[in-house]
Amino acid sequence: MYAVVRTGGKQYRVTNGDVLRVEKLAAEAGEKVQFNEVLMLGGEEPVIGTPLVEGAAVLAEVIDQIKGEKVIHFVRRRRKHSSKRTKGHRQQLTLLRITEILAEGADKTGVKAAVGAGSVPRSAAPKPAAKKAAAKKAAPKKAETAAAAEGDDLTRLSGVGPVLAKKLKEAGVTTFAQIAAWTPEDVAAMDEKLSFKGRIEREGWIEQAKKLAKGKE
């Protein structure tokens, strides 16, 4: 079963387990959100909305808040007083994973609706208490990083040079054990952060990291 949802002025065809990037949502990593603008449900008996499918929804889990590729915009005016101007922009995005597609009962899930970050007034921004709760969830990872302050030589991994090793450490990855424990969701999130989509699987980092980690025991 698949669904076509609308968010941020764009449409996406999704199925369970899909990982996708959408325009930034007002949600923290680890939160669950619900897309209520379902335009179509596909499968054995497709349902097309008019314009929305009543009672349908798509549930998703936020993996991380990321930035898109940098776009350079150059403007030159050739007049009496010529001028040049260069602007750079990186779109704010939310990386999420689809967890469930509902054909009905959208109003009974209790999951908050997915809302674009730009449409949320400051008064409705997450309260400090909510931020503290999110920080507590992230505490185990921070503790793990602190325990391995010195870290491993990540350049021993295939395709990892000093620059890429620095990026990994800035992302909180300092040991082979961390890489060896990556899930498919972790790989997708790290692909986005490093801007090297598919490289982790292509170079076989996880298998290499498992061997290197065992060699330290």
Side-chain angles (χ1 to χ4, degrees):
M1 183 178 184
Y2 68 88
V4 177
V5 299
R6 181 172 61 197
T7 178
K10 300 180 179 66
Q11 297 178 14
Y12 302 86
R13 181 186 184 279
V14 299
T15 58
N16 283 344
D18 281 357
V19 174
L20 68 152
R21 299 182 300 173
V22 300
E23 289 199 21
K24 187 174 182 180
L25 301 176
E28 300 287 341
E31 279 191 81
K32 290 185 178 181
V33 294
Q34 177 173 305
F35 295 95
N36 294 315
E37 293 190 4
V38 179
L39 306 177
M40 175 182 175
L41 291 175
E44 296 182 1
E45 297 181 6
V47 180
I48 299 177
T50 54
L52 304 179
V53 180
E54 187 175 353
V58 173
L59 305 183
E61 180 180 6
V62 176
I63 298 174
D64 201 0
Q65 299 289 359
I66 60 175
K67 290 183 178 181
E69 297 293 331
K70 189 171 185 179
V71 178
I72 303 297
H73 181 59
F74 177 77
V75 177
R76 181 180 180 182
R77 294 186 177 88
R78 297 201 296 180
R79 294 288 186 272
K80 184 176 180 180
H81 302 288
S82 63
S83 65
K84 297 178 182 179
R85 184 174 62 183
T86 301
K87 286 185 177 181
H89 173 71
R90 293 187 70 185
Q91 182 67 41
Q92 298 283 339
L93 301 171
T94 296
L95 184 68
L96 49 83
R97 178 167 53 85
I98 304 300
T99 58
E100 190 176 359
I101 297 174
L102 301 176
E104 56 184 11
D107 57 341
K108 299 178 181 179
T109 62
V111 179
K112 76 172 186 178
V115 180
S119 61
V120 178
R122 292 190 177 184
S123 60
K127 295 181 180 180
K131 291 185 177 180
K132 288 182 180 179
K136 288 182 179 179
K137 291 182 180 178
K141 289 187 178 181
K142 289 184 179 179
E144 181 182 347
T145 303
E150 295 183 2
D152 296 326
D153 182 6
L154 301 181
T155 58
R156 294 176 66 186
L157 295 172
S158 175
V160 178
V163 175
L164 195 50
K166 182 180 178 181
K167 287 185 177 181
L168 285 167
K169 290 185 178 181
E170 287 175 349
V173 181
T174 59
T175 67
F176 297 131
Q178 285 175 278
I179 298 174
W182 277 353
T183 64
E185 289 75 20
D186 295 328
V187 171
M190 196 57 63
D191 273 341
E192 295 294 340
K193 288 183 179 179
L194 300 179
S195 299
F196 288 113
K197 193 168 184 178
R199 185 168 190 171
I200 296 172
E201 294 180 348
R202 185 168 60 251
E203 298 286 355
W205 287 5
I206 295 177
E207 292 302 320
Q208 291 181 50
K210 288 178 180 178
K211 294 179 182 179
L212 291 169
K214 284 184 178 180
K216 290 180 59 182
E217 294 177 356

